[in-house]
Amino acid sequence: MSPSACPAVSVLLPVRNAESTLDECLLSIRRQSLDDFELLVVDDACTDGSIDILRAHAASDHRIRILGNPRPGLVAALNLGLQAARAPLVARMDADDRMYPQRLQRQWQWLQARPELTVAGSQVRIFPEAELRAGLREYLRWQNACLSSEQIATDIYREAPLAHPSVMYRRRRILAIGGYRAGDFAEDYDLWLRLVQAGDRLGKVPEVLLDWRDGPQRLSRRDPRCRREAFDRLRARYLASDPRLKQRPLAIWGAGRKTRRRCRHLLEQGFRPQVWIDIDPRKIGNRVGGIPVCPPDWLANAQPRPLVLVYVANHGAREQIAAQLQDLGYRPGEDFLQIG
């Protein structure tokens, strides 16, 4: 196929040593029902047979453009592709995943019909399913249920609400906000946090449009930028500049050691809760760092009403706490925030 001078979509695919999955990935892209796209493949210092696979596909499909990354690294590869893209919409893809045939068409239609959205993700299926851990299953359940821009903004501090290779976004806006940033954090979660804090709206097509591969080589399993400590630091940076935390007193739900360890990044920036909230009778009535530990009922009569940061991350506990807070008249996103 011949490339369009101004395609509808640019697919951005960084590749580093992905020869075992790359052919399957490329075929899923080339078989899209929307065929007016360019595929920008950024060679991120490959040393295996990936380049031979790419060249073979590019020889028979002129929509494929192979770019060399002069500054190896994922963030540099992503920003290089963003600069080179010719379409107003960019779809992210990873070399070990698979697009469903309608993916580009459905997301293109979704963004055309919703000009207020900056980003449109999709629901995803993780494979191979037989090997999924309980924690990842729970994360997938939550992420696939977090669909609207309101839900995403409310839960942005809980976890990354979008699977990076599932998204399509407006290129001009992503460039205007600074593109991807490098640091001791996951570059995609940093981008979502930055966009939400800037007032952009992120949504999701309520359909599974991507097979998201899990395995020991997955970046989120081996990259230190994706460890819990790194996510805690990143959330704290954005929480510290969230105006909601500066307008009201704070209450932190969770007085145990794990919770205190996770929220210390925020406390180190000068924030001090008015109270710790806990349900453990052995903790209630004590003081931690000079701050009293109180039961949830304390929140019912608190004046002024504090902003509650829920740092409890146990499976099932988040939903129970959210229900309890709402029974007390606290509204998600306004009176309490769930912190991952």
Side-chain angles (χ1 to χ4, degrees):
M1 290 187 180
S2 298
S4 170
C6 184
V9 176
S10 295
V11 179
L12 175 51
L13 174 65
V15 175
R16 174 175 286 186
N17 295 345
E19 63 180 352
S20 64
T21 59
L22 184 56
D23 189 65
E24 186 178 25
C25 168
L26 293 172
L27 286 172
S28 77
I29 298 170
R30 294 177 61 190
R31 293 168 177 169
Q32 290 293 297
S33 58
L34 184 153
D35 61 8
D36 183 18
F37 67 85
E38 65 172 353
L39 172 55
L40 295 174
V41 183
V42 183
D43 169 18
D44 190 22
C46 290
T47 58
D48 66 354
S50 296
I51 294 302
D52 292 334
I53 296 170
L54 289 171
R55 288 172 178 159
H57 279 267
S60 58
D61 191 332
H62 297 292
R63 296 173 300 181
I64 299 174
R65 297 166 58 198
I66 304 173
L67 308 176
N69 187 11
R71 296 170 51 232
L74 178 57
V75 171
L78 291 169
N79 286 328
L80 176 68
L82 269 178
Q83 292 290 343
R86 295 181 294 191
L89 299 176
V90 173
R92 271 285 289 113
M93 187 60 174
D94 282 342
D96 55 352
D97 298 329
R98 303 182 302 223
M99 287 186 185
Y100 286 28
Q102 300 292 323
R103 178 196 163 178
L104 295 184
Q105 183 174 8
R106 292 292 294 120
Q107 289 183 306
W108 182 86
Q109 292 170 335
W110 196 260
L111 286 169
Q112 294 302 309
R114 294 163 178 80
E116 73 280 5
L117 290 184
T118 297
V119 181
S122 79
Q123 294 175 317
V124 301
R125 183 185 75 90
I126 295 184
F127 74 105
E129 294 185 43
E131 300 175 15
L132 292 189
R133 301 174 184 176
L136 189 54
R137 285 185 186 275
E138 172 59 21
Y139 172 59
L140 180 65
R141 182 204 63 76
W142 166 76
Q143 194 190 83
N144 279 341
C146 190
L147 299 172
S148 70
S149 56
E150 292 76 17
Q151 287 175 297
I152 289 171
T154 294
D155 274 356
I156 190 65
Y157 296 118
R158 178 168 169 170
E159 301 284 357
L162 300 160
H164 196 190
S166 81
V167 302
M168 181 182 290
Y169 46 59
R170 302 188 192 277
R171 173 180 176 269
R172 181 175 296 178
R173 177 56 184 152
I174 301 303
L175 288 172
I177 206 168
Y180 291 93
R181 297 200 296 204
D184 60 346
F185 46 77
E187 74 290 332
D188 55 334
Y189 194 22
D190 172 72
L191 180 58
W192 315 147
L193 285 160
R194 203 171 350 132
L195 286 167
V196 168
Q197 199 160 91
D200 289 69
R201 295 171 68 85
L202 288 61
K204 196 175 292 181
V205 179
E207 301 173 30
V208 175
L209 298 174
L210 180 84
D211 281 341
W212 199 19
R213 190 185 303 268
D214 184 42
Q217 296 306 309
R218 186 175 164 190
L219 195 65
S220 61
R221 290 195 183 279
R222 54 189 177 83
D223 193 323
R225 299 175 308 129
C226 298
R227 292 175 184 163
R228 164 159 277 184
E229 175 77 7
F231 274 80
D232 289 342
R233 284 195 305 268
L234 182 63
R235 291 187 189 101
R237 290 173 196 165
Y238 283 93
L239 277 166
S241 58
D242 191 313
R244 289 172 291 188
L245 272 71
K246 301 175 182 178
Q247 295 166 353
R248 301 159 63 174
L250 293 180
I252 293 181
W253 193 306
R257 289 183 180 179
K258 289 183 179 179
T259 299
R260 300 202 309 272
R261 184 167 61 247
R262 291 178 47 240
C263 71
R264 69 179 174 83
H265 298 289
L266 180 64
L267 303 185
E268 287 170 355
Q269 299 190 57
F271 290 88
R272 181 177 172 86
Q274 177 185 12
V275 65
W276 303 96
I277 301 296
D278 210 290
I279 61 171
D280 187 342
R282 296 170 297 178
K283 297 186 178 74
I284 293 170
N286 296 331
R287 301 182 79 84
V288 176
I291 300 165
V293 181
C294 298
D297 289 349
W298 180 91
L299 295 167
N301 300 312
Q303 292 297 330
R305 176 172 287 188
L307 176 68
V308 183
L309 304 182
V310 181
Y311 270 90
V312 176
N314 297 340
H315 297 162
R318 285 171 168 161
E319 286 70 23
Q320 293 175 7
I321 292 170
Q324 197 167 357
L325 283 167
Q326 289 178 86
D327 287 344
L328 293 171
Y330 284 69
R331 297 159 296 180
E334 295 183 42
D335 299 316
F336 71 92
L337 301 172
Q338 300 231 18
I339 315 299

